[in-house]
Structure formats: C-alpha cells, structure tokens
Amino acid sequence: MRFASAALMACALGLAACGPTPPPTEDAPPSTSNFVPEIYHARVDTGPNGEPIQIPAIKAAYLRERNTRTRVPYNGPDAPGTVVVDPYARLLYLVEDGGMATRVGIAVGKAGLGYSGTAVIKRKAHWPSWTPTANMVATEPELYAQFAKGVPGGPSNPLGSRALYLYEGNRDTMYRIHGTMDPSSIGKATSAGCIRLFNQDVMDLYDRIPNGTVVKVRTADESRRLEGPLRQTPDGYLEPVAAEAQPIAFAESAALEPIPVAW
C-alpha cells in the first residue's frame, strides 16, 4: 500500500501545475568537458524548517553554452531590473545596466507557453509548498484529494528550492518561475509545468530581485525577432540556425499548443 501511495504521488506531481515531468530514461547528453563552474557546485541550503538540505552539483553533461548562467549583451527594449522570460528560446534574462544581462537556461512546459505579457513578482517563496487547486481536487479526486492540504516544501517538492509568483494587479496569473529536482530537463521542452531553472540559478535570481520586479514574458514573434531562428537538436536542446543554413521549425517548443494557465 505504501508503494502504491508513493507511485500515485509521483503521478500527481507529474501532472501538477509547474511540476516536473518524470525523469528522462535516455542517457544524459554527451559533454565535451567535465568542467563544472563553481556556481553550479554542490552546496548546503537551509530548508523550510531550518534543516540542512543538500543541493547536488549540476552534472557537466547538462551544462550547454545556452543554458549555463552567463553575462551577455542584451538587445531587447526592456529596462534594467526587468526579468525577461523567453519560453520559445528557453532563456531567462535579468536585464542590467550598460546594455548587459545575466542569462540562464530554462525548461518550459505547456503552461509556460500559455501566458505572455507583463506581470509583477508579488510573492517569493523559499522551499515552496505546493497545493492542488480546488478544481483539480474536484475533477480528479483519485489523484489530488490526498494532497488537498498541500505538499510541504523540501527535496521531494516539484517546485525545487525557490519560487517566484507572477501577478497582474491583484490577480495571480498562476505563472511560476521556480527550481527543479530534475536538472536534466533544463534547456528542453517538457510536457508539463511553467518555467523551471537549475536550483542554483533560481536561488541566485531569488537573492538578486525584490518583490515588485517587473517580468516580461515574450511572445513567439518577439522571441523570433530578438533571438533569431533556432532549431532543436536530436537530444532536445536548441541552437541557433546558421545564416547559410535553411531555417527549420523555430523552437520545437513553439509547436506545442499553448494552453490557458488555469492551475
């Protein structure tokens, strides 16, 4: 019975808003280097009840050029201090002074394509909890009723180490920027969830921005104009299309049907 309950919980969290998809079964993508930057080393964080939580190092195989935190020139129109989410290029920018930005890679689920526009971060959470909505409990009680009182924050929670909650005025958009317990997904499209980062990256972002920060979520057209044509590699990452090459489908994630973010 205990095993069945654990399996049911894994299934429910996999279907949850901003939750992870099941870990991939394929081998990790090949890495050209075993070097892991210090910012992605293992660390010990303080959990929701003051307990130590080990944050594992990110494997070198998961650190591609486009999803490794770096400071880059920024060509968008957004003001310094703005967080820019590009779900189609699978990138997030923190815009800085002097035409620069900190760029990190993200994983994007269908819910991450269901919103665009400008919102404000009104809540930040450290090792956030997760609670299914009343509608989720009512429509699929066999999955969600047992979690109606919430899943506490910690290493088993799909939102990872930190979460940022986007609002339009006083309305919760249900759009989340958060960590993940599945670092192999960063840089890829996923079947569920919003916008997830390596835990190390969302912890850095959490510490650098206050509540009230403006977040711009790009449309597919804005992304295409600012990032240029992209193609998806066989192992699920995106890369720029060479100028001399014939452009192919722009970011396979863009082909996913955007769905309303209603969780």
Side-chain angles (χ1 to χ4, degrees), residues 18 52 79 83 85 101 173 214 230:
C18 297
V83 171
V85 177
T173 66
V214 173
L230 301 169

Side-chain angles (χ1 to χ4, degrees), residues 51-243:
E51 74 280 20
I53 294 181
Q54 182 75 22
I55 305 290
I58 304 300
K59 294 180 179 179
Y62 302 146
L63 296 172
R64 298 296 184 94
E65 180 183 358
R66 281 174 54 82
N67 70 352
T68 298
R69 190 193 320 162
T70 186
R71 198 162 180 261
V72 298
Y74 183 69
N75 66 340
D78 309 283
T82 305
V83 171
V84 177
V85 177
D86 190 327
Y88 299 94
R90 301 177 202 160
L91 297 171
L92 179 148
Y93 295 92
L94 174 57
V95 184
E96 301 169 359
D97 292 322
M100 301 295 289
T102 295
R103 186 187 73 187
V104 300
I106 61 178
V108 181
K110 284 189 177 181
L113 300 174
Y115 174 83
S116 63
T118 302
V120 172
I121 293 171
K122 282 200 171 183
R123 184 161 76 91
K124 306 196 303 180
H126 173 277
W127 288 104
S129 60
W130 169 77
T131 303
T133 65
N135 183 61
M136 292 165 72
V137 174
T139 56
E140 297 186 86
E142 68 283 2
L143 282 179
Y144 298 114
Q146 62 181 313
F147 308 123
K149 294 184 179 180
V151 178
S156 62
N157 192 290
L159 298 186
S161 61
R162 305 288 189 274
L164 310 171
Y165 300 80
L166 276 61
Y167 285 73
E168 289 184 345
N170 293 321
R171 182 182 71 86
D172 185 352
T173 66
M174 297 307 215
Y175 203 81
R176 312 289 189 240
I177 300 170
H178 60 88
T180 182
M181 308 315 292
D182 179 17
S184 69
S185 66
I186 301 302
K188 301 180 180 180
T190 63
S191 62
C194 287
I195 303 300
R196 70 179 85 156
L197 288 67
F198 291 127
N199 277 321
Q200 286 87 336
D201 284 341
V202 78
M203 290 163 71
D204 176 72
L205 187 65
Y206 181 99
D207 290 340
R208 294 176 64 184
I209 64 171
N211 281 328
T213 294
V214 173
V215 179
K216 166 65 177 178
V217 182
R218 289 176 178 171
T219 64
D221 286 342
E222 289 170 329
S223 176
R224 190 178 292 109
R225 175 168 51 85
L226 292 168
E227 299 294 335
L230 301 169
R231 65 180 180 183
Q232 184 159 285
T233 65
D235 52 2
Y237 294 91
L238 294 180
E239 62 181 20
V241 175

Side-chain angles (χ1 to χ4, degrees), residues 236-252:
Y237 294 91
L238 294 180
E239 62 181 20
V241 175
E244 65 275 12
Q246 178 67 34
I248 61 176
F250 168 76
E252 198 161 298

